[in-house]
Every structure is written in structure tokens, then in C-alpha cells.
Amino acid sequence: VVNLSKMAMLNQHRLFLQMMMAEGILRKEDALITVNSKLNISDIGQNFQQFLSIINTNLDPFHMKIQEGKAENGSGRSYIALVNLKADDPSAKLSGRFSEAEKEFFVLMIDKFLEEAEDLGEVSSIELLNLTQRMQKNLPMKKVESFLQLLEEQLWLTQEGSCYFAGPRFLLELRPLLQRDDRVNKCQACGELVMRGERHERDGISYKYHLHCAKRIFHGARVSHDD
């Protein structure tokens, strides 16, 4: 039985951290399954935050942290990500080897999403492709398309039809940047930052809500955690 009250990391913590370093981001439910089955810690659901806090205490000197957040696609599904808290350059958050042109595009893409943050938080594929016109370095359209696909696979972005939205990794990795930007609202229901959402008026004032929060409050529906 693992004593979760001790702040020193045990093998289970180290193995979980190694998995997070390899994956970068996971659905919380998948993380819980891994801890229960592969790391052989039972009833972790009640103690998962304490389990993570032990890891985070040991990560603190390295300016790293495992953080939790929710997807904004209406499901409200929870994710956890290993986040670099120190990197001020957004492109430094990218995992893997990327060209300087891809890093430049990534920074312009973030700026574009921030421009749309006060509205619905969506950016069309055409708008993203057109960002290459503002770049100093050359990035062919085919490479832009493959880069966007990779960002979607890594959960930086989600795509619905011809529009892209900030994915769970975007929201977790870039949280300090989003918190400093006045264009990013807080959800009137849960108080967390919201990029993609819907607006509702009360007493003549427009407030923004996460889709899953609005679904629960205004539409009387239970939030489904299906993708």
C-alpha cells in the first residue's frame, strides 16, 4: 500500500512521471486507469490530487507541474498535462523537433486565437493558412497543413468542420499567457478561463460560458463526456 502522505516520490510516482514526460498530456480517466492497473494503487480516485501534489512538489525546483483542465468542445472531459511553467516563449512549449518556420507560425497562430478570444474562440482553416503571409520565414502550405494536423494530434488544437479551436493542451500549457491577456474571459459559471464558449446576457450585460457549463445551466442537459 502506497503511503500518499509522504512527500518523497516513490517508484509509482516516478513511473507515472516518466509516462507523463513521454505522453505530455492524457485524459484524466486514462491516467486513473494507468495508476490503478499498471502501478497497482487501488482507490486512487479519492487520492489522485494528493498523488499528483507529491510529484508536483518534487517538480517545483524545475519549474514543471502536472496540471488539470477541461476540454472546451462541450464534453467537459478532464485532461492532465505536464507543463513547463518557466518558458515565456510559447514555441518553447512544443514537444518534438520543429523548424524555425513552424515555431514562427505557432506563435502567430496563438496570437490569432487570442484575437478571437472575446468572441467564440474559433479560427477558420483559411485564416490559419493565411498567417504564412505575415511570416518572415518560408513555410509551404503543405507543411502548414501537416503541422496543423500534428498540433491536432498533440491536442493543441481541435477541429470541427472548417474551424479550429484551442485544444486541452493549448489551454493548459499556455495558461500563464492566457491569464495575462485581457481578451481572455473567465467563465461566468465556473470562474475558469474560457476561449471557446457561448455568450448569454443578464441585466443587459453579456457573459461568456464554457459550452459544457452553458449546457448544464441554460439547456438543462447533463454533460456527456463522449468525444
Side-chain angles (χ1 to χ4, degrees), residues 69-79 158 166-168 171 210 212:
K70 293 183 181 295
E72 292 189 330
N73 62 355
S75 69
R77 184 186 293 275
S78 292
Y79 287 80
T158 60
L171 301 165
H210 289 116
H212 53 271

Side-chain angles (χ1 to χ4, degrees), residues 5 19 104:
S5 64
M19 181 183 69
E104 182 185 359

Side-chain angles (χ1 to χ4, degrees), residues 169-202:
R169 194 168 195 163
F170 187 112
L171 301 165
L172 286 166
E173 292 267 15
L174 301 176
R175 183 178 285 172
L177 174 67
L178 302 181
Q179 288 173 329
R180 295 194 300 266
D181 198 301
D182 292 336
R183 294 169 294 183
V184 181
N185 300 136
K186 288 187 177 180
C187 175
Q188 187 64 16
C190 69
E192 294 293 329
L193 297 174
V194 52
M195 291 284 288
R196 180 185 184 182
E198 58 183 58
R199 290 193 170 275
H200 294 268
E201 282 198 9
R202 189 172 74 238

Side-chain angles (χ1 to χ4, degrees), residues 14 27 73 81-82 100 113 116-117 128 143 147-148 189 223:
R14 296 188 187 94
R27 292 178 182 175
N73 62 355
L82 179 62
E100 292 302 312
F113 274 101
E116 304 299 327
L128 288 179
K143 295 227 169 181
F147 184 51
L148 289 173
V223 176

Side-chain angles (χ1 to χ4, degrees), residues 26-159:
L26 285 171
R27 292 178 182 175
K28 184 178 179 181
E29 61 196 75
D30 293 336
L32 288 170
I33 291 171
T34 297
V35 173
N36 273 317
S37 59
K38 296 183 180 179
L39 302 185
N40 199 27
I41 305 177
S42 60
D43 300 324
I44 190 62
Q46 298 177 358
N47 300 302
F48 190 54
Q49 293 305 318
Q50 190 176 1
F51 180 83
L52 292 182
S53 72
I54 293 172
I55 298 174
N56 284 333
T57 298
N58 287 270
L59 286 176
D60 190 56
F62 306 100
H63 307 285
M64 303 286 288
K65 187 176 184 180
I66 297 175
Q67 296 191 143
E68 181 178 341
K70 293 183 181 295
E72 292 189 330
N73 62 355
S75 69
R77 184 186 293 275
S78 292
Y79 287 80
I80 60 171
L82 179 62
V83 176
N84 182 344
L85 299 173
K86 194 173 183 181
D88 291 326
D89 178 7
S91 65
K93 305 274 191 177
L94 290 170
S95 59
R97 295 182 179 179
F98 295 95
S99 68
E100 292 302 312
E102 288 170 327
K103 291 178 181 178
E104 182 185 359
F105 178 87
F106 184 73
V107 172
L108 289 173
M109 181 196 76
I110 292 170
D111 289 340
K112 184 61 182 174
F113 274 101
L114 289 173
E115 288 175 10
E116 304 299 327
E118 286 190 295
D119 195 20
L120 299 178
E122 66 180 35
V123 179
S124 71
S125 56
I126 297 298
E127 288 177 302
L128 288 179
L129 293 173
N130 286 342
L131 291 177
T132 56
Q133 299 173 11
R134 294 161 49 186
M135 292 179 61
Q136 299 294 318
K137 297 178 177 64
N138 180 49
L139 191 63
M141 287 297 176
K142 285 289 185 185
K143 295 227 169 181
V144 174
E145 291 171 354
S146 61
F147 184 51
L148 289 173
Q149 183 177 355
L150 180 59
L151 292 177
E152 190 175 356
E153 290 171 2
Q154 293 185 352
L155 299 179
W156 283 99
L157 301 175
T158 60
Q159 183 180 17

